[in-house]
């Protein structure tokens, strides 16, 4: 079903070149504004979000947004149009969000098309990857030598053995969640300095906090293509004393489409840039605009802590 809407206040603060794959030769004039379209659809989600905004230069000319009169949003799964359930306009942030129901599975093709009367048509598509394989999850207390060092009671190591699909490049994202109550889980920030694969993508400038926390929690299979690999991560359990060292963990491993991985990786690398380094261009797979259509598939294991 085609949906028509008044895009009352589209917009996002994008630096010139951020959100594109091509280099724009700047001649002193502000380049034409284009739509910025972002959605990431997973097999485990009942409701997905599509965000629409507009590119413009910070401190550029005529930064006041000229509102288009109407627009059209079309989302297809394997050629069949999805129902768009709701539209929300966020005037302060100058973005529009629409929510749609997309029940996807492996190899489904997601296609998005957005247009207005003042912008070129922005389109993008992606194929849903196969689910990742978790072979085993082991947890144990994590101590460092000497015993009285900074890592002691309350720290847990998780050894997560995964099996990689041979013959193709695979991309992953890892989440660890702590049991909160019967209906809720919360995410745990984990450290990666003891894991060869994940730490190879990280550096001090793009980590949160004092530890080796990978912001995007992503990694490719470059170092273990077609083999089994054991992720070695550790974290502080904020409820250690409440649960007396026990508790339940949820390990969620996602397989990412290549476009979704490259988008997240370019975001992660951009955190490490400064005015003296080469600019990092944010990856985009949107034709006629900027942004990303990404897809992922998940495998979940729930384990009791040691």
């Amino acid at each position: 079903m085609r949906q028509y809407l008044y895009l009352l206040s589209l917009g996002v603060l994008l630096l010139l070149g951020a959100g594109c794959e091509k280099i724009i030769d700047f001649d002193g004039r502000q380049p034409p504004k284009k739509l910025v379209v972002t959605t990431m659809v997973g097999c485990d989600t009942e409701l997905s979000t599509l965000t629409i905004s507009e590119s413009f230069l910070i401190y550029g000319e005529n930064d006041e947004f000229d509102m288009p009169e109407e627009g059209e949003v079309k989302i297809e799964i394997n050629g069949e149009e999805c129902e768009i359930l709701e539209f929300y306009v966020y005037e302060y942030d100058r973005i529009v969000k629409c929510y749609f129901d997309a029940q996807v599975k492996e190899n489904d093709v997601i296609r998005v098309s957005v247009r207005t009367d003042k912008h070129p048509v922005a389109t993008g598509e992606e194929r849903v990857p196969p689910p990742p394989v978790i072979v085993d999850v082991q947890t144990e207390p994590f101590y460092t030598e000497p015993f009285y060092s900074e890592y002691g009671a309350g720290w847990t190591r998780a050894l997560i053995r995964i099996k990689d699909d041979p013959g193709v490049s695979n991309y992953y994202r890892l989440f660890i969640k702590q049991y909160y109550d019967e209906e809720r889980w919360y995410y745990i920030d984990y450290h990666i300095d003891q894991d060869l694969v994940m730490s190879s993508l990280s550096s001090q400038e793009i980590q949160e906090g004092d530890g080796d926390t990978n912001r995007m929690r992503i990694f490719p299979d470059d170092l273990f293509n077609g083999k089994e690999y054991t992720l070695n991560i550790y974290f502080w359990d904020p409820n250690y004393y409440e649960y007396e060292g026990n508790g339940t963990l949820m390990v969620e491993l996602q397989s990412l489409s290549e476009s979704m991985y490259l988008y997240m990786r370019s975001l992660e690398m951009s955190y490490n840039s400064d005015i003296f380094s080469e600019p990092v261009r944010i990856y985009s797979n949107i034709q006629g605009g900027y942004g990303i259509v990404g897809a992922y598939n998940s495998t979940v294991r729930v384990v009791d802590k040691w």
Side-chain angles (χ1 to χ4, degrees):
M1 179 184 299
R2 292 187 176 181
Q3 302 289 333
Y4 291 89
L5 69 156
Y6 286 94
L7 304 178
L8 297 179
S9 184
L10 298 176
V12 68
L13 294 177
L14 292 179
L15 291 172
L16 179 63
C20 63
E21 295 178 88
K22 298 180 179 179
I23 297 176
I24 300 175
D25 294 325
F26 184 58
D27 59 2
R29 295 174 297 178
Q30 183 166 323
K33 298 177 181 180
K34 294 184 179 181
L35 292 174
V36 180
V37 180
T38 303
T39 187
M40 299 179 188
V41 181
C43 293
D44 60 342
T45 56
E46 296 181 358
L47 194 64
S48 298
T49 305
L50 177 74
T51 300
I52 310 165
S53 53
E54 183 189 57
S55 64
F56 62 90
L57 282 175
I58 297 178
Y59 308 123
E61 300 175 0
N62 302 319
D63 277 347
E64 292 295 328
F65 179 65
D66 185 14
M67 293 181 296
E69 295 181 0
E70 69 174 25
E72 181 184 60
V73 178
K74 187 176 181 180
I75 303 168
E76 296 176 306
I77 307 297
N78 299 328
E80 295 186 7
E81 199 162 344
C82 292
E83 179 183 4
I84 298 179
L85 303 177
E86 292 181 283
F87 283 100
Y88 287 94
V89 178
Y90 297 84
E91 296 187 20
Y92 179 80
D93 296 322
R94 292 188 289 183
I95 62 174
V96 169
K97 287 186 177 181
C98 61
Y99 296 87
F100 61 97
D101 185 10
Q103 301 295 319
V104 297
K105 60 185 182 301
E106 178 183 349
N107 287 326
D108 282 352
V109 177
I110 305 161
R111 180 174 174 80
V112 173
S113 175
V114 181
R115 73 165 180 83
T116 76
D117 59 336
K118 297 182 181 297
H119 300 88
V121 177
T123 62
E125 71 175 42
E126 188 57 278
R127 184 179 298 273
V128 179
V133 177
I134 299 178
V135 178
D136 186 45
V137 178
Q138 299 289 333
T139 60
E140 61 186 21
F142 176 68
Y143 300 113
T144 55
E145 296 296 339
F147 180 77
Y148 51 82
S149 65
E150 59 176 317
Y151 300 113
W155 287 89
T156 297
R157 183 199 304 275
L159 301 172
I160 305 162
R161 187 154 55 102
I162 65 177
K163 185 176 181 180
D164 187 67
D165 185 21
V168 295
S169 296
N170 298 289
Y171 309 95
Y172 299 98
R173 193 180 193 192
L174 177 67
F175 291 106
I176 305 293
K177 300 178 185 179
Q178 172 76 54
Y179 178 77
Y180 186 78
D181 59 27
E182 294 182 355
E183 297 181 352
R184 291 179 293 175
W185 298 77
Y186 62 86
Y187 291 97
I188 293 178
D189 286 332
Y190 54 83
H191 294 244
I192 61 172
D193 61 291
Q194 295 204 349
D195 185 79
L196 174 64
V197 170
M198 297 194 75
S199 63
S200 67
L201 297 180
S202 189
S203 66
Q204 188 61 37
E205 287 75 14
I206 60 175
Q207 294 159 2
E208 297 173 323
D210 297 328
D212 295 325
T213 303
N214 184 328
R215 290 192 181 204
M216 295 298 170
R217 300 171 172 86
I218 58 175
F219 58 97
D221 68 350
D222 295 349
L223 299 180
F224 59 93
N225 186 277
K227 302 176 182 178
E228 290 190 1
Y229 179 75
T230 300
L231 295 163
N232 181 358
I233 56 100
Y234 62 97
F235 53 88
W236 163 253
D237 180 1
N239 292 326
Y240 172 79
Y241 294 104
E242 179 180 352
Y243 292 123
E244 297 182 351
N246 295 316
T248 305
L249 297 175
M250 178 185 293
V251 176
E252 179 182 353
L253 182 66
Q254 296 179 350
S255 58
L256 310 180
S257 64
E258 183 176 19
S259 294
M260 185 169 172
Y261 170 80
L262 293 174
Y263 171 75
M264 289 185 170
R265 179 60 178 149
S266 63
L267 283 177
E268 190 173 52
M269 292 179 66
S270 71
Y271 296 145
N272 196 29
S273 62
D274 55 42
I275 61 174
F276 299 106
S277 64
E278 295 182 1
V280 176
R281 289 172 290 150
I282 306 303
Y283 179 86
S284 168
N285 66 351
I286 298 295
Q287 303 298 317
Y290 307 129
I292 184 72
V293 175
Y296 64 92
N297 210 332
S298 299
T299 296
V300 174
R301 285 284 190 94
V302 177
V303 298
D304 291 330
K305 281 181 55 182
W306 48 276

